[in-house]
């Protein structure tokens, strides 16, 4: 459901040289192809043409993708070819074999350092993905009678988990969902995200209504920040409930952007009265107000975090969410039939508009079935 890890792997493949990640497979081809080309051209051309300077680039190229052993073998082959008089490579006086030997040895050292760094990065990446699965596990395409799909993108480039959180669970009262945003983003917010999700997964079972679920998460944040001085820990969240046997959705908002109702070509922001954010300790005295919305066949609900709404273009203008979604659906009314493809299309549109986003982004589409 959530494609952050897959998207990050694609970025690693594109920016492997800057990120220090393992190179794509095609990087292994230039060193042997260059060496073969030099040998072929040097053999077929007059002896006055000296291309031996090109073979000095073979082992540095090999160090980008090969291990130290393969780089050393390729370097040894280069040095061997330089000493064979029949090939005409490395004419006396035109090639400094000592220099090339030094380049070969240096390339072997680079290959060893690069391989060690890649192994460390693989270990770190594996741990990060395991942390993501523990905090934000992938959700099935269907939870109860609700089809759902989502997209999650952490603001910090090397992070898989940030300050946004989400979950969808079944309960005795129907399917309950949560989309929220912790103060701040990045690794500093991961602990708070894990705490809130744990509280939500218990509350959906114990609490009879969404207001009670919100109060449980509010108390969790208060307890977590009680021992820390000068800490204003809070989070915004929107809760949705699709009760069994009823074609309605209950919505409770705690300082969070309202969900959008996609009904045919129309995109409407639900008029839910937002309560205070979680963690301010006022859920009991000023509880959020629940909104109940009837649902018809084909209706979709889009819940998101402010990373989408606050994306800006080069002029500083905010992403016009309602206008862009309306135009998107009018151009292709069937786009909302596939929730997963729809979230990807919205994300692509955000990136075309803004180029980049500076906040965590979460989008979830819910397609309740009768």
């Amino acid at each position: 459901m959530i494609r952050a890890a897959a998207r990050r792997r694609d970025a690693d493949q594109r920016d492997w040289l800057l990120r220090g990640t393992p190179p794509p497979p095609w990087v292994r081809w230039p060193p042997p192809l260059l060496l073969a080309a030099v040998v072929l051209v040097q053999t077929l051309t007059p002896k006055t043409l000296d291309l031996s300077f090109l073979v000095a680039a073979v082992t540095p190229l090999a160090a980008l993708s090969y291990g130290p052993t393969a780089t050393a073998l390729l370097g040894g082959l280069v040095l061997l070819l330089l000493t064979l008089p029949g090939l005409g490579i490395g004419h006396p006086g035109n090639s400094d074999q000592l220099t090339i030997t030094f380049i070969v040895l240096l390339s072997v050292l680079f290959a060893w350092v690069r391989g060690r760094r890649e192994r460390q990065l693989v270990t770190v990446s594996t741990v990060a993905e395991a942390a993501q699965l523990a905090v934000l596990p992938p959700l099935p395409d269907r939870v109860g009678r609700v089809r759902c799909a989502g997209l999650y993108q952490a603001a910090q480039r090397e992070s898989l988990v940030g300050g946004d959180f989400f979950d969808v669970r079944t309960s005795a009262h129907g399917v309950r969902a949560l989309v929220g945003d912790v103060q701040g983003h990045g690794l500093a917010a991961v602990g708070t995200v894990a705490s809130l999700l744990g509280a939500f997964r218990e509350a959906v079972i114990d609490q009879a209504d969404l207001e009670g679920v919100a109060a449980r998460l509010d108390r969790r944040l208060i307890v977590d920040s009680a021992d820390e001085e000068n800490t204003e820990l809070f989070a915004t969240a929107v809760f949705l409930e699709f009760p069994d046997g009823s074609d309605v959705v209950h919505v409770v908002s705690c300082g969070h952007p309202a969900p959008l109702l996609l009904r045919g070509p129309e995109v409407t922001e639900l008029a839910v009265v937002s309560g205070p954010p979680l963690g301010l300790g006022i859920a009991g005295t000023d509880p959020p107000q629940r909104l109940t919305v009837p649902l018809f066949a084909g209706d979709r609900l889009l819940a998101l975090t402010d990373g989408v709404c606050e994306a800006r273009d080069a002029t500083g203008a905010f992403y016009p969410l309602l206008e862009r979604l309306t135009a998107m659906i009018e151009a292709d009314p069937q786009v909302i039939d596939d929730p997963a493809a729809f979230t990807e299309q919205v994300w692509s549109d955000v990136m075309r508009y803004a180029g980049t986003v500076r906040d965590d982004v979460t989008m979830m589409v819910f397609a309740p079935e009768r």
Side-chain angles (χ1 to χ4, degrees), residues 157-216:
R157 190 175 185 181
E158 302 301 329
S159 297
L160 291 176
V161 182
D164 287 0
F165 55 98
F166 57 87
D167 205 353
V168 185
R169 298 278 163 165
T170 57
S171 71
H173 307 282
V175 177
R176 288 175 168 175
L178 164 70
V179 176
D181 184 3
V182 170
Q183 172 197 19
H185 57 262
L187 296 179
V190 174
T192 304
V193 166
S195 179
L196 286 173
L197 287 175
F200 174 76
R201 289 159 187 168
E202 292 183 359
V204 294
I205 300 174
D206 300 335
Q207 298 298 318
D209 52 40
L210 289 182
E211 294 89 337
V213 175
R216 180 75 69 86

Side-chain angles (χ1 to χ4, degrees), residues 205-355:
I205 300 174
D206 300 335
Q207 298 298 318
D209 52 40
L210 289 182
E211 294 89 337
V213 175
R216 180 75 69 86
L217 270 67
D218 179 72
R219 185 181 67 181
R220 179 72 268 166
L221 278 182
I222 295 172
V223 171
D224 288 348
S225 60
D227 297 332
E228 301 182 20
E229 296 182 0
N230 302 320
T231 298
E232 297 180 357
L233 186 62
F234 66 89
T236 65
V238 62
F239 303 84
L240 300 96
E241 179 180 271
F242 302 89
D244 294 332
S246 180
D247 293 325
V248 300
V249 59
H250 302 309
V251 183
V252 166
S253 176
C254 297
H256 198 80
L260 304 179
L261 175 63
L262 313 179
R263 179 171 290 167
E266 297 183 359
V267 180
T268 307
E269 185 178 275
L270 296 183
V272 57
V273 178
S274 179
L278 302 172
L280 300 184
I282 53 179
T285 58
D286 186 18
Q289 300 180 27
R290 178 173 57 179
L291 173 70
T292 299
V293 179
L295 297 176
F296 302 110
D299 283 355
R300 303 288 185 265
L301 288 161
L302 172 62
L304 42 77
T305 56
D306 58 11
V308 178
C309 309
E310 296 180 358
R312 299 171 182 258
D313 64 6
T315 66
F318 288 111
Y319 178 74
L321 178 61
L322 294 180
E323 297 176 13
R324 306 281 285 209
L325 289 182
T326 300
M328 192 182 303
I329 297 173
E330 288 179 348
D332 182 12
Q334 282 73 43
V335 68
I336 62 175
D337 292 341
D338 185 347
F342 179 61
T343 57
E344 289 290 348
Q345 186 165 336
V346 175
W347 171 249
S348 298
D349 189 62
V350 172
M351 294 304 293
R352 282 194 300 271
Y353 180 87

